[in-house]
Amino acid sequence: MFPLANLARHGMAGGHPRAMRFWIAGLPPVAVLGATDDGMVLPQVPTEQAGEAAKAVAGQRVLGLLGEGAQVAALREAMGLGDASALLDREEPLFSLDLAGLRMPSSMGLALAPLSAAPRDLLLQWRAAYGREVLGWVEGAEAQAECDIDGDLAQGQHRILFRHGEPVAMTGFNARLPGIVQVGGVWTPPELRGQGLARAAVGLHLAEARDEGAKRAILFSASEMAARAYRALGFQEIGRFTLLIFAEPQEVRPA
C-alpha cells in the first residue's frame, strides 16, 4: 500500500519526502523495490532476489525499511546493514478485512468527526505521545507531531472520536487507493484504554469508507491489545510486517 499510495499522491518527479523511485526486475515484474526521497525503502522483493535489489541502491542513503517481515530481514542483510543500530525494529501481525464482513461495535454515545473538530493542541499532544510509544520518537517529537498533524488535516483521512462531546480517540487511513484503505495512526490516551474506544473509532471510519466504495482494509498492529480490537471487527491475520528505522541514516553497502 505505501509504495502505490505514495506514487499516486506524490509521483516520481521528486520534491516531496515521500515521492517515489523504483527498481523493477522482470517483465512482468517479479520484484519491485520502492524508495522515497527521504530514504525509506519499501520492498516487494522475494528473499532470493534481495542481493540484486541491494545492488540497485548501492551507495544510497537509507533511513529505514518497511515491508513483509522475511523480505525486510533478507534485504537488510544484503544491504550490509545487519549490524546497524535501529531506533525501531519491530515485526507486527498484518491483518486484512473484507469490508462486507465488518463487525460493527456499539457506538452509543459516540460520534466520529473530522480531525479539525478537535483542538489543535490536543491533536499535537496525542500525535507526539503516539510517536513516542509506537514509532520510537525520542528527540523532536513535538516538531514531528506538528508536521504530521498538518499533513493529516490537509489530506482529510483522519478522524476524532467523541464521547458525549469529549474527544476520546483518534484513527485514520495512512494509505488509500481505489477500493482499499490502510488503517494507521490509531490512538487512545492510556487513561481511556480498555473501553472499546479505538475499536469503535476504527469501525465507524471503516463503515464510512465502505459507504464510499472501499471493499477491503488492511493494517498492522503494534500491540496485542490493539490486535484483539481488530480481530473483534473481523480482521484476520495474513502475515507479518516489519517496521525498521535506523538510529542514523545509513549508506547501502551490499556484499
Side-chain angles (χ1 to χ4, degrees), residues 158-180:
H158 284 67
R159 302 288 185 268
I160 286 286
L161 184 72
F162 287 85
R163 181 170 61 185
H164 304 303
E166 294 295 326
V168 291
M170 178 166 60
T171 189
F173 300 143
N174 56 23
R176 186 166 189 166
L177 292 166
I180 184 169

Side-chain angles (χ1 to χ4, degrees), residues 23-246:
W23 169 82
I24 300 173
L27 289 174
V30 295
V32 178
L33 185 69
T36 64
D37 271 15
D38 64 355
M40 292 303 299
V41 174
L42 313 170
Q44 293 290 318
V45 177
T47 56
E48 62 271 18
Q49 293 186 286
E52 290 303 310
K55 292 176 184 177
V57 290
Q60 296 189 25
R61 172 179 173 271
V62 173
L63 296 181
L65 295 91
L66 303 176
E68 191 276 329
Q71 294 186 16
V72 167
L75 186 59
R76 180 182 185 177
E77 291 297 324
M79 286 177 160
L81 302 177
D83 296 329
S85 177
L87 181 67
L88 178 67
D89 185 2
R90 189 170 65 230
E91 187 179 81
E92 301 180 352
L94 177 65
F95 290 92
S96 177
L97 171 65
D98 181 337
L99 289 176
L102 173 63
R103 297 197 292 261
M104 285 298 297
S106 171
S107 59
M108 186 175 297
L110 303 174
L112 203 66
L115 209 61
S116 56
R120 180 178 172 81
D121 59 348
L122 179 68
L123 298 177
L124 295 175
Q125 176 188 334
W126 282 8
R127 182 50 60 86
Y130 169 87
R132 293 187 184 99
E133 179 178 335
V134 178
L135 301 178
W137 293 353
V138 181
E139 297 180 359
E142 287 75 17
Q144 184 60 53
E146 186 166 9
C147 180
D148 283 5
I149 290 298
D150 285 343
D152 293 344
L153 287 166
Q155 293 164 20
Q157 295 298 318
H158 284 67
R159 302 288 185 268
I160 286 286
L161 184 72
F162 287 85
R163 181 170 61 185
H164 304 303
E166 294 295 326
V168 291
M170 178 166 60
T171 189
F173 300 143
N174 56 23
R176 186 166 189 166
L177 292 166
I180 184 169
V181 294
Q182 180 170 284
V183 178
V186 181
W187 173 254
T188 305
E191 66 274 13
L192 296 176
R193 292 176 185 172
Q195 302 176 38
L197 297 171
R199 180 173 62 193
V202 173
L204 288 167
H205 201 193
L206 289 175
E208 177 186 310
R210 181 188 59 194
D211 293 345
E212 293 171 350
K215 304 298 184 184
R216 184 181 173 212
I218 62 170
L219 56 83
F220 39 93
S221 174
S223 72
E224 181 53 34
M225 177 182 289
R228 288 196 299 270
Y230 300 139
R231 291 188 184 101
L233 290 168
F235 281 92
Q236 296 184 340
E237 186 172 342
I238 59 171
R240 308 291 293 182
F241 192 92
T242 291
L243 297 89
L244 171 63
I245 300 176
F246 296 114

